[in-house]
Structures are given as C-alpha cells and as structure tokens.
Amino acid sequence: MIEVKNLQKSFGKLEILKGIDLNIHKGEVVVVIGPSGSGKSTFLRCLNLLEQPTGGEISFEGQSITAKKHDINVTREKMGMVFQQFNLFPHKSVLQNIMLAPLKVRKQQASEAEKIATELLRTVGLEDKRDAYPAQLSGGQKQRIAIARALAMQPHVMLFDEPTSALDPEMVGEVLEVMKQLAVDGMTMVIVTHEMGFAREVGDRILFMDGGVIVEQGTPAEVFGNPKHARTRDFLSKVL
Ligand code: ADP
Ligand code: MG
C-alpha cells in the first residue's frame, strides 16, 4: 500500500531522515518506536507530505505521491491522521467536527454524513456526546472524537503520532482500545507510540528508529524479545 524508497528529509543543513526504506502492506499495523528527536514524527509527516521530502520516493497504492504532477490532496483524503494534540474545532459540536470534512471536501449529502458520523460515534463509544462541544470533553474523549473525525473520510490508512502522549494516564486505555478495535477490523495503520504494551500486543511489525534511520525492525517478539542492536537494547532498557 505504501512504498518508501531512500526517504530523506533535511531542515536546512540539519539532516533528519537519512534514507528510509519501507513497504507497508494493506491491513498491516506498523508501530514506530524510538527516542525523542529520532525523526519519527518527521517520517510520519512525510508519508502524507505534511513535510516535503528532500530526497527519495513515496508511493501510495501504486502511485508516486512525490512526483511533481501528483495532486497530494487526493491522497491526503485517503490517509487519516491523528496527532498528540487533538485539534478539534472548538466552536463546533462533536457531530459537526466529524461531518465537516465529508461535507466540504467529499461533498457528501448532510443526511449521509450524519449517518456515517453517528455510526462512528458508536464505534468510539461516544454516541451520547454528539451535541457536546470539545471543551466539555475529557482528553480521552477528545482524542476518540479526533479518531472518529479522521475515519469519517473513509481513509485507507490511519497515521497516529503519539495519540496518547498528551493524555492523563487513566485515559490512555480508552484511546488504545479504540485503536486496537480498528486494527482488529483490518485498518492499515502506522502508529508512533511510547506505549510498549500496546505495540507488542497490536503491532504486526515494530520499527525502531534512531538518528533518522530504521535501526531494526521485526515482529514484536523479535524486537522486544530478542533485539539485535545495542541501540535497540539500550532504548528498550529505558522504556520497558
Ligand atoms: P521525534 O518525533 O522522533 O521526536 P521529530 O521528527 O519530531 O522526532 O524531530 C526530529 C528532529 O528534527 C529534531 O531534532 C527536531 O528538532 C527536528 N525538526 C523537526 N521539525 C523541524 C522543523 N520544522 N524545522 C527544523 N527542525 C525540525
Ligand atoms: Mg514526535
């Protein structure tokens, strides 16, 4: 579904991504771990060109999205993204937040958009919050709405950048539970997280990034159970 070849990204003279090669298959759950500053967010943001790569190539569903003639907006609609900060529209209700992009971008009928939004609210367990405003929600609820909002565009892949890092500890579980259900339902997902228990349980593949490269990758059993590189072992010894 996604093919990344020798992806590079620099900010000025600062080289952040130093040649990343990766294929992500349909239905796969790829979890990216690694120390702060290793380039995880930059990598994720390059996948939907929120950051413009300075080298290499990215293809999505067989089409090069880094080619000059490619219209990235078409591809972005198929890639849902959830950030650490929820970025909900504060002056819109929960239902309006979820319906906005389908109405404006997809030109869906209001009745259709509302039907999908209602189903998604059920998926994330927040049907009773449809008329609430973001300020009336807890952090965990806001993040579940942000996930529902991304899903409303019926994306083919979901990108998550530390979706639980801004949450109080007691709210982490409810968000991870929604993500786990998505994985079980077959969604293709790329997830940057520090939740190692979740990574181990839900990830099909773990990527360990450090210094702008993928140092090591494998199944959770391989990476957590038998890390090959000293840098991976060192990182895991600090977070596990
Ligand atoms: P991670 O998500 O693994 O913590 P990031 O991808 O956010 O790492 O950042 C990697 C490095 O890139 C950091 O040193 C950060 O300061 C730098 N960086 C990220 N975005 C920018 C930017 N827009 N301009 C300059 N430097 C940046
Ligand atoms: Mg980051």
Side-chain angles (χ1 to χ4, degrees):
M1 176 176 269
I2 304 178
E3 259 185 67
V4 179
K5 282 190 205 142
N6 194 25
L7 174 64
Q8 295 163 50
K9 175 66 182 175
S10 300
F11 293 106
K13 287 209 171 74
L14 202 62
E15 225 186 331
I16 303 301
L17 300 180
K18 300 173 184 168
I20 299 217
D21 291 287
L22 181 68
N23 290 335
I24 296 167
H25 307 108
K26 191 170 169 8
E28 196 176 17
V29 178
V30 174
V31 178
V32 183
I33 63 172
S36 180
S38 57
K40 304 182 299 297
S41 294
T42 304
F43 169 63
L44 214 58
R45 293 164 63 81
C46 280
L47 289 183
N48 60 3
L49 303 193
L50 285 179
E51 298 289 356
Q52 191 63 44
T54 38
E57 208 187 315
I58 303 171
S59 300
F60 177 66
E61 297 182 330
Q63 277 195 318
S64 171
I65 66 170
T66 38
K68 284 213 166 54
K69 58 179 169 40
H70 180 77
D71 178 3
I72 188 58
N73 290 320
V74 175
T75 300
R76 280 209 191 113
E77 284 178 33
K78 297 178 190 157
M79 297 177 150
M81 187 149 185
V82 174
F83 304 89
Q84 186 173 330
Q85 299 302 334
F86 327 113
N87 307 320
L88 297 176
F89 300 107
H91 302 299
K92 294 194 182 294
S93 71
V94 160
L95 194 71
Q96 288 167 335
N97 263 281
I98 300 174
M99 287 171 62
L100 191 68
L103 290 177
K104 298 273 182 211
V105 181
R106 277 278 186 91
K107 314 287 183 209
Q108 259 176 20
Q109 297 288 326
S111 58
E112 171 74 0
E114 185 171 341
K115 185 166 156 258
I116 293 171
T118 306
E119 277 167 26
L120 287 169
L121 281 172
R122 196 175 312 132
T123 305
V124 301
L126 291 170
E127 285 162 288
D128 56 329
K129 298 293 184 194
R130 55 178 278 149
D131 298 317
Y133 283 80
Q136 299 168 307
L137 303 177
S138 72
Q141 290 170 336
K142 280 184 211 170
Q143 194 58 303
R144 282 145 73 196
I145 296 301
I147 294 172
R149 184 178 58 174
L151 290 172
M153 290 295 280
Q154 300 170 311
H156 298 190
V157 58
M158 286 283 285
L159 311 175
F160 292 88
D161 193 358
E162 298 199 29
T164 61
S165 292
L167 299 178
D168 290 335
E170 72 271 24
M171 294 171 186
V172 169
E174 64 193 64
V175 172
L176 295 181
E177 199 50 47
V178 167
M179 292 167 64
K180 188 174 154 189
Q181 192 55 50
L182 267 181
V184 169
D185 292 343
M187 178 61 81
T188 309
M189 298 161 70
V190 185
I191 305 167
V192 175
T193 187
H194 294 294
E195 294 292 332
M196 297 300 148
F198 172 84
R200 195 172 200 145
E201 187 190 1
V202 179
D204 294 312
R205 184 154 43 126
I206 308 295
L207 303 184
F208 172 66
M209 270 184 77
D210 195 12
V213 297
I214 297 172
V215 173
E216 175 160 1
Q217 59 174 303
T219 64
E222 286 164 351
V223 174
F224 290 113
N226 189 20
K228 290 188 185 63
H229 288 261
R231 280 197 276 174
T232 319
R233 286 196 291 272
D234 180 54
F235 174 74
L236 290 176
S237 74
K238 288 175 184 146
V239 297
L240 286 181

